[in-house]
Amino acid sequence: MKNFWISIRITLAMCLLLGVGYVLVLRGVSAVAGPGGGEAETLTFDGRIVGAANVGQQFTDTRYFWGRPSAVDYNGGGSGGSNKATTNPEYLAEVEQRVQDFLAAHPYLTREEVPSEMVTASGSGLDPDISPRGAQIQVRRVAEARGLDAAAVRHLVDSLTRKPWLGLFGTEKVNVLRLNIALETMQPNVTAAVPANQTGTNGGGRFEGTTSDQE
């Protein structure tokens, strides 16, 4: 009987160690090594919070850079993909429609020049980033819609392109929300100055010019 209670105590101690201690260790590591001290980073514009840096939003206005499509309408409470196979007729039809819509908004591109990331949804449906190429091919549209010098907008994209961590891990990427916030501070006919992005620390919100109910 004594051995039985010893066994119970050991089991409870292990549960406590692995169930609670493990979580605390991960929390401590994220606070030290993670971006923002392990807290979600929020971004602000004009003194108000407009979103989280790591959660994508949908931009459909021609004045803004667009992110990847989302199978969950950018719903932060229910991330996920469509779970449709790449041979699924409905999936292929959706992608084809996205290609046509993207080409209609970017008539200077050929079909072969449309990056796959701009017409296929990410696995989470909340990807906040696109590749530098995905941003650069939109420069002409955005510059023309805002009356900006294309070279200045291209420079803005370059300035906000994040390199792989330590030059080895990950890929180059551009945060769409950061890019659009910085874009809002540019004035027509500006050719040189590149505005800085703004960041906040708490709260929530959605950037003007975005929609959340369409894909």
Side-chain angles (χ1 to χ4, degrees), residues 42-52 199-207:
T42 54
L43 304 179
T44 64
F45 178 69
D46 276 349
R48 62 188 181 85
I49 294 176
V50 294
T199 60
T201 56
N202 50 61
R206 184 165 291 279
F207 193 46

Side-chain angles (χ1 to χ4, degrees), residues 46-61:
D46 276 349
R48 62 188 181 85
I49 294 176
V50 294
N54 64 341
V55 178
Q57 296 184 21
Q58 185 176 36
F59 291 86
T60 58
D61 194 301

Side-chain angles (χ1 to χ4, degrees), residues 6-40:
I6 292 176
S7 177
I8 291 296
R9 290 174 183 173
I10 293 176
T11 300
L12 291 176
M14 291 300 295
C15 288
L16 183 63
L17 176 64
L18 298 178
V20 179
Y22 178 69
V23 173
L24 292 177
V25 169
L26 290 181
R27 185 69 180 85
V29 171
S30 67
V32 175
E39 300 295 334

Side-chain angles (χ1 to χ4, degrees), residues 149-170:
D149 180 75
V153 179
R154 190 170 295 107
H155 184 51
L156 177 66
V157 172
D158 289 339
S159 71
L160 293 178
T161 297
R162 297 181 61 183
K163 305 296 182 181
W165 186 54
L166 299 179
L168 298 172
F169 304 101

Side-chain angles (χ1 to χ4, degrees), residues 106-118:
H106 305 82
Y108 50 86
L109 295 176
T110 64
R111 186 185 183 90
E112 291 70 25
E113 291 175 319
V114 178
S116 61
E117 67 182 291
M118 301 309 300

